[in-house]
Amino acid sequence: MSIREEDLFQVRKLEMSDKSKGFLEILQQLTVCNPFTDEEFDARFQDISSYGEDHVICVIEDKESKKIVATGSVFLEKKFLRNCGKVGHIEDVVVDSSARGLKLGQKVVEFLTNHAKAMGCYKVILDCSVENKGFYEKCGFKQKEIQMAMYFN
Amino acid sequence: MSIREEDLFQVRKLEMSDKSKGFLEILQQLTVCNPFTDEEFDARFQDISSYGEDHVICVIEDKESKKIVATGSVFLEKKFLRNCGKVGHIEDVVVDSSARGLKLGQKVVEFLTNHAKAMGCYKVILDCSVENKGFYEKCGFKQKEIQMAMYFN
């Protein structure tokens, strides 16, 4: 029995067992990500889990290949301004190069955006390259400001 | 006995008692910030304090007027990429309109940047308007990406 496409690519939260399903390899398509040991993965997983709904990492697992083919994260920042408002920060959205064109990126962004909204955020923001601006506009975002960065050695 | 200027404007962490020292009024110079009740302030203060060193709000109090004249915040995001790295996110930097020209903004940004570095972040990032780009360049930042936003009603 084959799996229907809508069931094949469902977004869910990251699980401990995803470290053996290609989660690292997906992140490596985004930026520098040296292999981590099981202990390092577990420790960071626990770190992030301790924030509960305030820091959520989601993945899409290809139910046939059992591989992670997309991921993204959102964390909630609690402010005093905007009536003690909350802001969702989306980070590290990436889709496996073999799974482009299936709108998995949009599914991930929608999942993260819906989470921020459900948790009471007044807005959700993210930083992206100029090349990815069109993608995020299709997801309902608008360009706002510029991002500045300082790297430590 | 007058206070020396270097002692007059020192950066320190936000304290509960700052709510009666003009902390709200400073935030209102940045964006929408309706007055909060003591209970709302206290609850949000406790929320943020529960993150310990992972979410720090700093202020500069004018030791003579006993008023808050600058503030800014930084929170640490824990990632899997960059070898389970951490990123500092700077938010809500503002200096009182009556205290411009004293380099208090730079003091605040330096305090937040140093905190992120001391906590092991590999970089610190922030979003700002194009008009504030020059200020952050003087603080050692470089323009990197663009910020996208989605507002909820």
Side-chain angles (χ1 to χ4, degrees), chain A residues 100-116:
Chain A
R100 304 271 160 86
L102 298 167
K103 303 203 171 178
L104 303 189
Q106 273 171 261
K107 278 194 178 188
V108 164
V109 172
E110 193 177 59
F111 181 93
L112 300 172
T113 301
N114 286 344
H115 179 74

Side-chain angles (χ1 to χ4, degrees), chain A residues 59-125:
Chain A
V59 295
I60 296 178
E61 176 184 349
D62 180 330
K63 292 269 176 68
E64 285 184 340
S65 70
K66 311 282 186 201
K67 287 283 173 193
I68 303 300
V69 290
T71 184
S73 73
V74 67
F75 59 88
L76 275 47
E77 176 209 358
K78 292 168 185 174
K79 290 180 181 282
F80 282 101
L81 50 78
R82 298 264 176 181
N83 313 319
C84 295
K86 288 189 280 191
V87 172
H89 294 252
I90 290 180
E91 291 277 335
D92 305 337
V93 173
V94 59
V95 176
D96 187 72
S97 56
S98 71
R100 304 271 160 86
L102 298 167
K103 303 203 171 178
L104 303 189
Q106 273 171 261
K107 278 194 178 188
V108 164
V109 172
E110 193 177 59
F111 181 93
L112 300 172
T113 301
N114 286 344
H115 179 74
K117 195 174 181 181
M119 294 295 293
C121 292
Y122 70 88
K123 70 174 177 182
V124 61
I125 60 174

Side-chain angles (χ1 to χ4, degrees), chain A residues 105-151:
Chain A
Q106 273 171 261
K107 278 194 178 188
V108 164
V109 172
E110 193 177 59
F111 181 93
L112 300 172
T113 301
N114 286 344
H115 179 74
K117 195 174 181 181
M119 294 295 293
C121 292
Y122 70 88
K123 70 174 177 182
V124 61
I125 60 174
L126 59 90
D127 297 315
C128 70
S129 62
V130 173
E131 301 90 74
N132 285 331
K133 182 182 169 185
F135 165 73
Y136 284 108
E137 284 175 338
K138 268 190 272 178
C139 294
F141 286 76
K142 286 189 177 141
Q143 188 175 348
K144 191 85 196 304
E145 300 198 305
I146 56 173
Q147 185 214 30
M148 307 291 290
M150 185 195 293
Y151 283 78

Side-chain angles (χ1 to χ4, degrees), chain A residues 4-54:
Chain A
R4 288 180 308 161
E5 191 176 316
E6 63 189 83
D7 294 328
L8 189 57
F9 297 113
Q10 281 179 355
V11 190
R12 61 162 170 81
K13 290 183 186 177
L14 179 72
E15 295 167 2
M16 287 277 258
S17 56
D18 291 328
K19 74 183 156 193
S20 60
K21 290 181 177 174
F23 179 64
L24 169 66
E25 289 72 17
I26 291 289
L27 291 180
Q28 286 174 329
Q29 294 181 37
L30 188 66
T31 184
V32 179
C33 191
N34 290 348
F36 30 66
T37 65
D38 282 4
E39 289 72 26
E40 285 167 337
F41 179 92
D42 293 356
R44 181 46 44 108
F45 185 91
Q46 295 296 352
D47 267 354
I48 294 172
S49 299
S50 72
Y51 293 118
E53 299 299 317
D54 289 348

